[in-house]
Amino acid sequence: MIVARKILTPFTIACLLSLTGCNLMPLKHDQHVAANPTAVEKPSMTVSTAPAPAIPATVTLQEIGDTDRTVKQVEALQLTAASAELESQTDTDLWARVRAGYQMQVPDNARVKQSIKWYASHGKYLQRMQLRATPYLHFIVEEIEKRQMPMEMALLPVVESAFNPFAYSPGRAAGIWQFIPSTGKAYGLKQNWWYDGRRDIVAATRAALDYLDALAKRFDGDWELALASYNAGAGNVQRAIRKNRKRGKATDYWSLDLPRETEGYVPKLLAMASIIAHPDQHNITLTPIANTPYFGSVDIESQLDLALAAEMAALSIEELYKLNPGFNRWASPPEGPHRLNLPLEKIDGFTDKLAELDPLKRLRWKRYRIRSGDSLSVISERHGTTITQLRQVNKIKGNNIRAGKHLLIPISSEQPAHYSFSAEQRTAKIQSSKRKGKKVVYKVKQGDSFWSIANKHKVSHKSLARWNGLSPKDTLRQGQKLSIWIKERKNSSGGAAVAGAIPGTTALPFSTRSSINYRVRKGDSLARIAQRFKITVADLRKWNTLSSRYLQPGQRLKLYVDVTEQSL
């Protein structure tokens, strides 16, 4: 820990050199001070109000020796006072505790400076981040201290997700630590219809720190390489190291040839650490966070309706979900984890009410009569549950059910919209967000993919995924509804028209679409041409009124292609 010392003023030095003008009482128990400076009380001090005496013309060696000891005593006092002040801050301010645990060096590096400049110029972003971090940061700091890891790791969720527990990336990474599905499973994070452990603050934090610790050990305690591996994968970092070794180059993080995102990843973390360490230097005001736990975990033992849980805890459903973002649906997962995070001050009242609750009232139940044509998958989707739970509740083996029989189905106690942060409601909110253009709702058919749907509607497959809160790597299911936003512009008569409209179709392409005349070559087919220009065979036929699937060399076709897609 580095503590700044106060500079002695000329007046103070004059007093010390004269040894007569300032009545500074000497310290006692010098050896105890050296061994345990924080255990010593500050001695009383009396300062004369008389004019400062003149500095003697001559000073003996003995006087110089006494003066040197006195200066050291004053410096020890100042150091002790500064340490006590810092300890006091650390006791009450969580940011001070974070700073006190730093272990990494911030280099004089252009990439770090660029990231500092970006963060410092985005004050509102930092304010939102701090607000989101408030419920979670103390728990993260405690977990890091248990492992004796660098406290800079507590700031990694800033880089990964800005502490948004519902963050979801195009690469299918989820939660504040942004675990991809495979790594999450490797570190014990369950992912199913009811629950996603990658968003569970408790489980994901422990998994992320275990993962980072394992990476640091793999790279002999080099935390910069560990962080780079967290972003790009240990294999990619290892290959970059081998490549540099073969060329006789340095193998530290700053010398490696890594993906562009990874080259900016560690600088972002170090930049944030620097800003938290010296907010005043960057004109940043940190939102105070109390150095006390915000939430505690309660074992609820079995499945519980979240609306009922919120009511018993005297919480809003929104706050309950934010403390338990791993829950996907209207109830906690039937197979666990049966852990509910609640604000500390709400736990006693909740546990008292839970103990009084009739076990049969933890969930509402519906008695459903099976109809002709029903299946477990149809019934489970219609009632917002899973096939597995229907089997468990009704003691069914396999998939066979009979019309006329009854099933018990768990149902939510409130309307779906009440569970505002369930997976369905989060998706609905994203899909209903107002965007530019005209909204089209598309129902997924068998064989559809993001690419085929996007191509059909002349939009980007990445945009299509983003408009629906999905990743392009996600699997679409038949019957799923997608929102598609298609750009429009005004036509010559003042009405709405499609940008770059294609004759004879209702498809709405981007304005980057251009028409070309294509001459059929030997060996060409409709499928081959469509694949080459990233269009569909159906559109080819429509644009050229083709009745036959066979083409003749030299035949001319009209194509409407998106020029931005041709370079991909």
Side-chain angles (χ1 to χ4, degrees):
M1 183 185 300
I2 299 173
V3 180
R5 297 184 179 182
K6 296 180 180 178
I7 299 173
L8 297 177
T9 65
F11 170 74
T12 307
I13 294 173
C15 291
L16 293 170
L17 288 173
S18 69
L19 301 178
T20 57
C22 293
N23 298 322
L24 180 64
M25 297 182 66
L27 284 174
K28 297 180 180 180
H29 311 303
D30 289 42
Q31 292 180 346
H32 181 66
V33 171
N36 189 9
T38 60
V40 181
E41 293 184 3
K42 184 176 179 180
S44 60
M45 185 180 298
T46 305
V47 180
S48 171
T49 58
I55 299 176
T58 59
V59 181
T60 66
L61 288 176
Q62 180 62 43
E63 288 172 333
I64 292 174
D66 292 343
T67 302
D68 185 57
R69 281 192 295 275
T70 306
V71 170
K72 288 181 179 178
Q73 290 167 355
V74 171
E75 288 182 335
L77 264 179
Q78 293 170 341
L79 202 61
T80 301
S83 297
E85 182 180 356
L86 185 59
E87 284 185 15
S88 176
Q89 290 177 356
T90 306
D91 286 343
T92 58
D93 180 15
L94 190 56
W95 290 123
R97 185 175 175 184
V98 169
R99 286 190 286 266
Y102 282 177
Q103 296 180 26
M104 300 179 70
Q105 297 294 322
V106 180
D108 184 14
N109 179 275
R111 282 183 269 168
V112 176
K113 290 178 181 177
Q114 184 180 1
S115 293
I116 289 176
K117 184 178 179 181
W118 189 93
Y119 282 129
S121 63
H122 289 76
K124 290 184 179 179
Y125 170 87
L126 292 179
Q127 288 174 4
R128 289 195 302 271
M129 175 276 294
Q130 293 175 74
L131 189 62
R132 292 192 193 119
T134 297
Y136 315 134
L137 189 58
H138 187 275
F139 172 77
I140 294 170
V141 167
E142 293 260 300
E143 291 294 316
I144 289 173
E145 286 181 346
K146 288 177 186 176
R147 294 166 170 78
Q148 298 182 333
M149 294 168 66
M151 195 53 71
E152 287 88 346
M153 300 304 114
L155 304 176
L156 193 56
V158 178
V159 179
E160 287 288 354
S161 63
F163 274 99
N164 179 3
F166 300 106
Y168 189 63
S169 79
R172 300 185 69 201
I176 64 171
W177 297 98
Q178 289 289 279
F179 272 102
I180 60 173
S182 57
T183 308
K185 289 176 182 176
Y187 279 83
L189 299 177
K190 293 181 181 179
Q191 298 155 57
N192 54 51
W193 191 82
W194 287 99
Y195 167 82
D196 192 336
R198 298 176 299 161
R199 294 199 309 270
D200 185 322
I201 299 300
V202 172
T205 295
R206 289 170 177 162
L209 297 182
D210 287 347
Y211 184 29
L212 284 164
D213 191 43
L215 290 171
K217 289 175 181 175
R218 178 169 179 171
F219 291 97
D220 300 322
D222 190 318
W223 285 98
E224 289 174 347
L225 293 179
L227 287 164
S229 300
Y230 190 92
N231 178 253
N236 288 328
V237 174
Q238 203 74 60
R239 281 189 287 273
I241 290 173
R242 285 198 296 266
K243 186 177 178 181
N244 272 24
R245 279 181 182 153
K246 286 181 181 179
R247 297 180 177 181
K249 295 183 178 181
T251 57
D252 62 288
Y253 165 78
W254 305 98
S255 303
L256 298 180
D257 182 16
L258 294 166
R260 185 175 179 180
E261 180 186 331
T262 310
E263 288 184 346
Y265 187 76
V266 176
K268 285 180 182 178
L269 179 66
L270 295 179
M272 180 52 58
S274 180
I275 285 175
I276 298 299
H278 310 288
D280 293 342
Q281 292 181 13
H282 306 290
N283 296 318
I284 295 297
T285 301
L286 295 180
T287 303
I289 300 179
N291 187 18
T292 54
Y294 184 90
F295 70 86
S297 297
V298 178
D299 182 6
I300 57 175
E301 298 182 352
S302 63
Q303 194 174 23
L304 182 64
D305 187 306
L306 296 181
L308 180 59
E311 181 183 338
M312 292 193 298
L315 281 176
S316 69
I317 191 73
E318 289 82 4
E319 188 171 2
L320 187 75
Y321 270 114
K322 287 177 183 177
L323 286 177
N324 301 274
F327 295 155
N328 280 336
R329 308 296 164 186
W330 52 270
S332 61
E335 297 179 351
H338 300 304
R339 173 179 22 84
L340 193 66
N341 299 326
L342 296 172
L344 286 180
E345 68 274 12
K346 303 289 186 179
I347 288 179
D348 287 343
F350 172 81
T351 52
D352 288 344
K353 290 180 181 178
L354 185 65
E356 298 170 358
L357 182 66
D358 184 339
L360 296 177
K361 293 183 179 179
R362 282 173 165 259
L363 302 172
R364 282 183 60 198
W365 298 90
K366 177 179 179 180
R367 192 166 183 264
Y368 176 78
R369 180 172 178 151
I370 301 171
R371 305 168 190 167
S372 178
D374 272 347
S375 66
L376 289 179
S377 62
V378 169
I379 296 171
S380 62
E381 186 173 350
R382 187 184 300 150
H383 292 89
T385 185
T386 62
I387 295 174
T388 301
Q389 188 170 40
L390 286 180
R391 286 183 183 138
Q392 289 176 343
V393 171
N394 295 279
K395 298 179 181 179
I396 298 173
K397 293 181 179 180
N399 294 313
N400 293 329
I401 55 176
R402 285 195 299 171
K405 296 290 184 181
H406 289 85
L407 295 176
L408 274 179
I409 302 174
I411 58 173
S412 59
S413 61
E414 301 288 345
Q415 293 298 314
H418 179 77
Y419 302 86
S420 51
F421 283 91
S422 67
E424 293 96 335
Q425 294 306 310
R426 293 198 311 271
T427 299
K429 185 176 181 180
I430 293 170
Q431 290 180 330
S432 62
S433 297
K434 182 61 180 173
R435 306 177 192 275
K436 291 182 179 179
K438 180 181 178 181
K439 181 179 177 180
V440 174
V441 177
Y442 180 82
K443 193 171 183 180
V444 177
K445 302 171 185 174
Q446 187 175 3
D448 274 344
S449 66
F450 277 109
W451 187 88
S452 66
I453 297 170
N455 192 49
K456 181 176 181 180
H457 292 84
K458 310 300 183 290
V459 297
S460 160
H461 71 288
K462 292 181 180 178
S463 295
L464 176 62
R466 186 177 69 253
W467 295 333
N468 294 278
L470 299 168
S471 161
K473 297 179 181 179
D474 284 336
T475 302
L476 296 175
R477 66 180 188 278
Q478 190 173 349
Q480 183 177 356
K481 291 183 179 180
L482 301 177
S483 291
I484 305 174
W485 291 88
I486 304 167
K487 290 187 177 180
E488 294 179 323
R489 62 175 173 78
K490 296 291 183 179
N491 60 23
S492 57
S493 61
V498 178
I502 300 171
T505 74
T506 56
L508 303 173
F510 280 120
S511 57
T512 53
R513 188 159 295 277
S514 176
S515 64
I516 63 172
N517 291 310
Y518 179 77
R519 187 172 182 176
V520 177
R521 304 168 189 173
K522 186 176 180 181
D524 271 345
S525 66
L526 290 175
R528 189 168 297 175
I529 295 170
Q531 184 179 21
R532 184 185 308 159
F533 290 98
K534 298 185 179 179
I535 54 181
T536 66
V537 172
D539 281 341
L540 264 178
R541 290 184 180 280
K542 196 180 300 179
W543 299 333
N544 296 278
T545 61
L546 298 174
S547 57
S548 171
R549 62 177 178 171
Y550 298 107
L551 299 175
Q552 299 297 325
Q555 183 177 354
R556 292 189 179 274
L557 300 176
K558 193 77 168 180
L559 278 63
Y560 296 88
V561 300
D562 188 336
V563 295
T564 64
E565 293 283 341
Q566 304 312 306
S567 59
L568 298 180

